[in-house]
Amino acid sequence: MGKLDFAPIADTTRRAEIVVLLRRAILTGQLEPGQKLNELRIAEQMRVSRAPLREAMRELVQEGILTSIPYAGTFVIDVTAKDIDDAYSLNKVLDEFAIELTWRLRDRRFFDELDRRHDAVKQATRDLDTTRQIEMALQLHGLIHEWADNSVLLETWQRLASRLQMYFALHQRARKEPVPAEDIHETYVRLLKGSDMRAAQRHAREHIGLDFEELLAYARSLESKGARADRPGLPRERPGEA
Amino acid sequence: MGKLDFAPIADTTRRAEIVVLLRRAILTGQLEPGQKLNELRIAEQMRVSRAPLREAMRELVQEGILTSIPYAGTFVIDVTAKDIDDAYSLNKVLDEFAIELTWRLRDRRFFDELDRRHDAVKQATRDLDTTRQIEMALQLHGLIHEWADNSVLLETWQRLASRLQMYFALHQRARKEPVPAEDIHETYVRLLKGSDMRAAQRHAREHIGLDFEELLAYARSLESKGARADRPGLPRERPGEA
DNA sequence: ACTTGTTAGATTGTCGACAATCTGCTTGAT
DNA sequence: ATCAAGCAGATTGTCGACAATCTAACAAGT
């Protein structure tokens, strides 16, 4: 018999597809932070009943990009400057760890994949597709976490990456300027291919740091402008879990 | 008006209560790894319809202690030695980070809470209540993550703690010996109260390390004994997310 | 003996309807 | 005018029934 091994076939449940649609809508900023998700309306738009929609929403709540208040509704999470700062500082720690784990596992396939993703970022940049640029940059950044061969680290990173994508998309959408044209990942990729692990770790911190500082400044400016009063019934605090 | 601030009232949805019940059943080992959860049977036992039960199960899937395969069922996650090892190594990194963040925030209330949780562990040990001992030990350990004032870190820790509790409960249930009587947390607490942060971080690694080594040895012995053939239809691989 | 097609039973996925709860407005008393 | 009570509408939570899919046993053909 042939030694061909097939990949498992795709999920074909409505729930799974709904999750993909909703996640994309949130991460690209089509659904704004704090916005309420009306179940009936969304279910009708998607031509689906509320059952699979609600199950999908529960998944995204646990994924950390939605928040739910019983009998009040499910909302896109609010983005505070502190959230961004918290995510940023944890991200630094995880990156350092991921580089350490990945370092001895780097091989030809790793470098090829690194280049492939790097190219994807540059392509999206040329196309002026900001949304895709953000997504591809995070994919490039996520490679060290995928390669580290630590399932728990990878899960943690993916949860974090979801929020990062949302934050950055929000930021990009706010400032009208076009995308930065120069390639800010060049050094990052080069160091990951090199032989100085400490240098790579150090750069990962600082490189990410630059983007984040800008993002933080934006978030802080939003908050100093006072709480938004346009959307009524916003949850100011999420109820604690038992 | 009084300056009393009330805690948010408890969630009163069936879904939330089901989550608590299911989580406890899994973390205490009443539901074994790999075991399938029959929706109809559980729903009847709890006197609830399948809708809130299924939503609760989706949450636990995202929490990482259940795994779902479309049209096949939802199962308690399988525990492999590598999973434990992965969780262990990430836990070391998170602990080090948490101690760093918490260090300058330590105050009277922190030390009091530290003692309170430490006492709770000792009490459970005296009562020979192994399940509670594990839970309290993790609570003691979680204090540095709660105190660190980083919401993303806290979330990450809580997800990790769920699995750790499951692993340890499984281990305890397997070996017939009674609980270790001596107080293994004494040094940990003392160092957290002291003034040498590096020493506290170092101890956190090694202290946890001991428990884990034992746990790992157990998990490896299970796997070398060959795959279990008693439960049919076990998922050997979970389908990837798109 | 081995494979293939079929069928019955069980289980998961989805739907539409009903119950519980919240929100905002109206009403009416002071 | 102010405020509380209560009502109407909208939205979420839950239920029971149906559809889609899987599993295992059985029959039939090679």
Side-chain angles (χ1 to χ4, degrees):
Chain A
M1 52 188 77
K3 53 191 303 188
L4 186 61
D5 52 341
F6 292 97
I9 65 173
D11 294 351
T12 59
T13 60
R14 298 204 190 319
R15 181 183 70 237
E17 295 190 32
I18 296 171
V19 165
V20 172
L21 285 181
L22 277 184
R23 187 190 289 124
R24 183 159 57 207
I26 297 168
L27 296 191
T28 61
Q30 294 177 289
L31 287 170
E32 295 178 10
Q35 187 171 346
K36 176 175 174 178
L37 278 66
N38 186 311
E39 296 178 2
L40 199 57
R41 203 161 49 79
I42 295 178
E44 281 172 357
Q45 288 178 1
M46 290 187 179
R47 306 290 183 84
V48 186
S49 87
R50 285 172 55 221
L53 172 62
R54 284 173 58 88
E55 290 187 18
M57 286 165 89
R58 293 309 148 239
E59 290 192 22
L60 294 177
V61 166
Q62 285 308 105
E63 216 174 288
I65 60 182
L66 288 182
T67 181
S68 166
I69 298 180
Y71 291 107
T74 305
F75 309 80
V76 179
I77 58 167
D78 266 322
V79 175
T80 69
K82 179 145 197 349
D83 286 334
I84 296 176
D85 199 37
D86 288 352
Y88 165 42
S89 55
L90 180 60
N91 185 56
K92 283 197 297 190
V93 172
L94 293 185
D95 272 358
E96 194 170 340
F97 183 46
I99 290 177
E100 185 180 322
L101 289 183
T102 298
W103 202 254
R104 73 183 62 186
L105 299 176
R106 294 174 306 158
D107 58 4
R108 180 62 195 275
R109 282 179 46 238
F110 175 80
F111 296 129
D112 288 347
E113 185 64 18
L114 196 63
D115 286 332
R116 205 185 62 75
R117 301 192 182 192
H118 189 195
D119 289 341
V121 176
K122 288 188 283 193
Q123 183 59 47
T125 305
R126 277 193 298 273
D127 296 344
L128 298 180
D129 187 342
T130 63
T131 299
R132 184 169 179 79
Q133 188 199 22
I134 292 170
E135 192 181 339
M136 292 300 108
L138 280 169
Q139 290 256 350
L140 169 62
H141 204 72
L143 183 59
I144 56 175
H145 299 273
E146 293 175 29
W147 216 264
D149 189 35
N150 182 320
S151 58
V152 187
L153 170 64
L154 179 57
E155 261 180 60
T156 305
W157 156 253
Q158 285 173 338
R159 290 171 54 83
L160 202 52
S162 280
R163 301 201 206 176
L164 298 185
Q165 185 173 348
M166 180 175 157
Y167 298 161
F168 280 116
L170 198 66
H171 180 208
Q172 276 291 3
R173 176 169 281 234
R175 62 171 190 188
K176 295 289 182 293
E177 318 161 20
V179 223
E182 80 277 18
D183 185 0
I184 53 178
H185 304 288
E186 196 70 53
T187 312
Y188 175 73
V189 170
R190 183 165 45 74
L191 283 173
L192 275 185
K193 287 181 178 174
S195 58
D196 188 346
M197 186 179 82
R198 295 294 171 199
Q201 289 176 320
R202 209 178 318 119
H203 176 79
R205 284 196 183 184
E206 294 157 5
H207 157 55
I208 302 295
L210 286 180
D211 283 356
F212 260 100
E213 291 305 333
E214 205 177 345
L215 187 57
L216 263 175
Y218 165 69
R220 290 212 183 87
S221 73
L222 272 188
E223 288 178 10
S224 64
K225 221 174 287 180
R228 41 194 161 304
D230 45 345
R231 282 191 302 276
L234 266 191
R236 285 267 58 87
E237 206 163 353
R238 77 181 78 177
E241 298 261 308
Chain B
M1 55 187 76
K3 53 191 302 187
L4 185 62
D5 52 338
F6 291 96
I9 65 172
D11 293 351
T12 61
T13 61
R14 299 205 191 311
R15 183 183 69 238
E17 295 190 32
I18 296 172
V19 165
V20 172
L21 285 181
L22 278 183
R23 186 191 289 124
R24 184 159 56 206
I26 297 168
L27 297 191
T28 61
Q30 293 177 289
L31 287 170
E32 293 178 13
Q35 187 171 345
K36 176 175 174 178
L37 277 66
N38 186 311
E39 297 179 0
L40 200 57
R41 204 159 48 78
I42 296 179
E44 282 172 357
Q45 288 178 1
M46 291 188 180
R47 307 289 183 84
V48 182
S49 89
R50 284 173 55 222
L53 172 62
R54 283 173 60 87
E55 291 187 18
M57 286 164 91
R58 292 309 146 237
E59 291 192 22
L60 294 177
V61 166
Q62 285 307 106
E63 215 175 290
I65 60 181
L66 288 182
T67 182
S68 165
I69 299 180
Y71 291 106
T74 305
F75 308 81
V76 179
I77 58 167
D78 266 322
V79 174
T80 69
K82 181 147 196 347
D83 287 335
I84 295 176
D85 199 37
D86 289 353
Y88 166 43
S89 56
L90 179 60
N91 186 54
K92 282 197 295 191
V93 173
L94 293 185
D95 272 0
E96 194 169 342
F97 183 47
I99 289 177
E100 187 180 323
L101 289 182
T102 297
W103 202 254
R104 72 182 64 186
L105 299 177
R106 295 174 305 159
D107 56 4
R108 181 60 194 276
R109 280 177 49 237
F110 175 79
F111 295 129
D112 288 347
E113 185 64 19
L114 196 62
D115 286 332
R116 204 185 63 73
R117 299 192 182 192
H118 189 194
D119 289 340
V121 177
K122 288 188 282 193
Q123 182 61 46
T125 305
R126 276 194 298 273
D127 296 345
L128 298 179
D129 187 340
T130 63
T131 300
R132 184 168 178 80
Q133 188 198 21
I134 293 170
E135 192 181 339
M136 291 301 107
L138 280 169
Q139 290 258 350
L140 169 62
H141 205 71
L143 182 58
I144 57 175
H145 299 273
E146 294 175 28
W147 216 264
D149 190 34
N150 182 319
S151 58
V152 187
L153 170 63
L154 179 56
E155 261 179 62
T156 305
W157 156 253
Q158 285 172 338
R159 288 172 55 83
L160 201 54
S162 280
R163 299 200 207 178
L164 298 186
Q165 185 173 348
M166 182 176 157
Y167 298 160
F168 279 116
L170 199 64
H171 181 210
Q172 275 292 0
R173 176 170 281 237
R175 65 172 188 186
K176 295 289 182 291
E177 316 163 21
V179 221
E182 79 274 18
D183 184 1
I184 53 178
H185 304 289
E186 196 70 52
T187 312
Y188 176 72
V189 171
R190 184 164 45 75
L191 283 173
L192 276 184
K193 288 180 178 176
S195 57
D196 188 345
M197 187 178 82
R198 295 293 172 202
Q201 289 176 320
R202 209 178 318 118
H203 178 78
R205 283 197 184 184
E206 295 158 4
H207 157 53
I208 302 295
L210 287 180
D211 282 357
F212 260 100
E213 290 306 334
E214 204 178 344
L215 187 55
L216 264 174
Y218 166 68
R220 290 212 181 88
S221 72
L222 273 187
E223 287 177 11
S224 63
K225 222 174 284 180
R228 43 193 160 305
D230 45 343
R231 282 190 302 276
L234 265 192
R236 285 267 57 88
E237 207 162 352
R238 78 181 77 175
E241 298 262 307

